[in-house]
Amino acid sequence: MVLNRRNFLKTGLSGAAVASIGGAALMGCAPGSKKEAEGKAGGCCQAGEGGCQHSAAALNISFQEGTAPGENLNEKFDYMEKLGVVGFEPGGRGLAGRVDEIKQALDGRTIKVSAICAGFDGFILSTDEAVRKRCMDSMKEIIAAAGELGSVGVIIVPAFNGQKPALPHTQETRDFLCEQFTEMGNFAAEHGTTVIFEPLNRGEAFYLRQVADAASICRDINNPGVRCMGDFWHMTAEETCDMGAFLSAGEYLQHVHVASRRRRSMPGEDGEADCYVAGFKGLKMLGYNKYVSFECGCQGDRNVVLPAAVELLRKQWEKA
Amino acid sequence: MVLNRRNFLKTGLSGAAVASIGGAALMGCAPGSKKEAEGKAGGCCQAGEGGCQHSAAALNISFQEGTAPGENLNEKFDYMEKLGVVGFEPGGRGLAGRVDEIKQALDGRTIKVSAICAGFDGFILSTDEAVRKRCMDSMKEIIAAAGELGSVGVIIVPAFNGQKPALPHTQETRDFLCEQFTEMGNFAAEHGTTVIFEPLNRGEAFYLRQVADAASICRDINNPGVRCMGDFWHMTAEETCDMGAFLSAGEYLQHVHVASRRRRSMPGEDGEADCYVAGFKGLKMLGYNKYVSFECGCQGDRNVVLPAAVELLRKQWEKA
């Protein structure tokens, strides 16, 4: 049996003699190997020893494919560059066949591929092995393409509410999930990318709703190819504290989605509700410099509300 | 149907027209009515508008009944007062019959009752209505006594791993839990106290493992009699970030347990592992001034390790 944190917890918490597995790994903030090596047992870098950040936080805005106006990628990218948007998040379906197209459209631009949004078949927590296999196989295809594109990772949801029959919500299922994602994570790491757990609100996915939960799973798996994200829309329903959620993600935080907070539209379209400052403060504390990516609809005139949304995020980032 | 946050989420997230239920309640940091009134949509008091704390944070140390040496309550309380310990956390079993005893022993002292540790029968997530009723009835008895004693609340776990058969881990069960705790919370509030969800590590209770999850449940229930807590021992296994966990608890944080982080013994007995600074930093950000209570065993000579533990916590609180 591979001795990893997960196995350790299973044996350790039953009252048996506790083996030393690397102190800092067990407590405090999400440890990276750096913290472990420094023995920062229990201490958040940002909390214990004076706010150490591994990198300077930066707001790197990304759009999904439907966000910007334009008839094709080049038109969209022209628009995005004018707004200073630096990330592009395509869907994963059929990605392998689009690698050249995307590379060509990005050539010479300041925009890079950020995350890949799902697109896999089946789901990993199906009771049906064939359905799980479809998920694993389709994910690997997308992951390989993501690696070619230099993407930060492929977003995945373990089980949507409508996907049944699913394995029951138990420790055994969680352990199984960890095994499956170890395999996926190894593959992703080999391809220079990651897979990214996305917690969703209960209306879409009961199985995984909170960033802290996703982070805990990442820590148990302890694989450089397995990460997590937070989506402000889902966090609106499921998190009591955006800052707490992102801090819990810690070094596992690989991506962020943003939308307005009542109608999942352009940031700002829901007025006073669209405050991301607490979350941004958490991102700054982490030194987060990956992407904040628009996954949202649009109520008003896109050519008006989209620049306004970008401006709002920048203002709130400064304020945070 | 009572329109509360939980019902709102059920209807709102299905895509139906979203009613305005009080903006700040839906996002950002755990809102109290104060924040809601101020319309701090999405913003942590501590994050958005310049670190507003509702009270000055203070480290109020509490002991359970087995913590201090002594043959009876008075001897223990003498010892505790010498150490500057200000809280006492009795178990809930038989509490009703001990109210006078405890009041007498506390009379004229600086020590108050902090939380009440469980002691209920049955469990609230049993499939068996009779078992749930035993839980509700026994809890109410303890809650009434807790109120008489001026306690901050009665700690409860929805289901331990060994308690079977239990309701499955689904949205329906969560909704049911919220209903049961609305009833318990109303009763607690009438008695001037609360019930306090305690998340445990997976070895003890898979159902509720993270503080952010407990806080989310509290927010859905939205009842002044329902709160949550964090236990550093359980958090060691289940939280990636102590600060993130406590921030997520926000205004719902009613109690904290502490122990050493490898062997659940006296703080300090596990050496470098026993760092609570990140968590304490979170508590300070919240202005937390309730109790940090010892729930732990002891490896060494109690008369040596206990004062050392109290000293360690005070040092780390200063450092945080």
Side-chain angles (χ1 to χ4, degrees), chain B residues 5-143:
Chain B
R5 185 177 182 283
R6 186 157 46 87
N7 292 329
F8 165 75
L9 283 172
K10 288 187 84 164
T11 52
L13 293 168
S14 66
V18 166
S20 173
I21 198 174
L26 295 175
M27 58 212 90
C29 271
S33 56
K34 177 174 189 282
K35 288 201 198 76
E36 284 165 347
E38 292 168 346
K40 286 193 185 295
C44 274
C45 263
Q46 62 264 35
E49 306 301 331
C52 112
Q53 290 168 354
H54 295 289
S55 53
L59 178 64
N60 292 309
I61 296 178
S62 161
F63 284 177
Q64 286 190 340
E65 195 156 359
T67 309
E71 300 300 308
N72 52 56
L73 284 185
N74 274 306
E75 287 186 16
K76 293 169 186 278
F77 290 165
D78 287 344
Y79 184 95
M80 285 159 69
E81 282 188 324
K82 286 205 191 74
L83 282 185
V85 172
V86 293
F88 168 57
E89 179 181 332
R93 191 162 296 284
L95 189 71
R98 299 187 70 202
V99 168
D100 289 340
E101 171 205 352
I102 293 171
K103 278 183 172 176
Q104 275 169 30
L106 289 176
D107 188 35
R109 292 186 184 271
T110 51
I111 300 167
K112 293 189 168 75
V113 169
S114 58
I116 307 300
C117 191
F120 52 91
D121 294 319
F123 66 112
I124 205 67
L125 289 186
S126 173
T127 52
D128 185 339
E129 187 181 354
V131 174
R132 296 196 299 265
K133 186 177 191 310
R134 275 173 35 214
C135 179
M136 183 67 79
D137 291 349
S138 58
M139 274 296 290
K140 285 180 174 173
E141 199 177 315
I142 299 167
I143 290 167

Side-chain angles (χ1 to χ4, degrees), chain A residues 206-242:
Chain A
F206 182 78
Y207 185 79
L208 179 65
R209 281 161 285 124
Q210 291 192 311
V211 179
D213 194 7
S216 177
I217 294 170
C218 287
R219 181 169 71 159
D220 285 356
I221 296 170
N222 189 30
N223 186 301
V226 181
R227 293 291 182 260
C228 70
M229 65 173 286
D231 178 319
F232 275 103
W233 164 249
H234 297 296
M235 289 163 62
T236 302
E238 299 302 338
E239 305 289 353
T240 47
C241 187
D242 296 339

